[in-house]
Amino acid sequence: MEVIIKLKDKKEPVTYTGDRIDVLDFNMNGTKYKQIRYFKKGFSKSELIDENLIIKITKKEEN
């Protein structure tokens, strides 16, 4: 699975790959974020991205 996120002021999109990827809404101190959790070979990592910086989120499923 792959998630591609296009951000403002960035030429290249940010790409996350893994066995499973979760994109969740997250609110902290009144600021809205997207939490990206990606799982690869039993391990997971998480990142927060300010919702105002995101232009587009695209998911690609592997068959």
Side-chain angles (χ1 to χ4, degrees):
M1 176 178 235
E2 185 175 80
V3 172
I4 301 166
I5 301 177
K6 179 73 175 147
L7 300 171
K8 292 180 185 176
D9 300 329
K10 297 280 184 175
K11 239 180 188 178
E12 296 295 319
V14 179
T15 303
Y16 299 96
T17 58
D19 301 324
R20 186 179 107 212
I21 301 173
D22 298 332
V23 179
L24 307 167
D25 292 324
F26 186 78
N27 191 338
M28 183 169 53
N29 297 330
T31 305
K32 293 181 181 180
Y33 295 95
K34 291 289 185 183
Q35 181 181 21
I36 314 300
R37 292 191 312 186
Y38 51 104
F39 301 85
K40 203 182 276 190
K41 297 180 183 174
F43 294 98
S44 69
K45 290 188 179 182
S46 178
E47 290 188 22
L48 292 177
I49 300 175
D50 191 331
E51 205 172 71
N52 294 325
L53 298 176
I54 298 173
I55 296 172
K56 183 179 179 182
I57 299 176
T58 306
K59 288 187 179 183
K60 288 186 179 179
E61 298 285 336
E62 294 177 3
N63 293 334

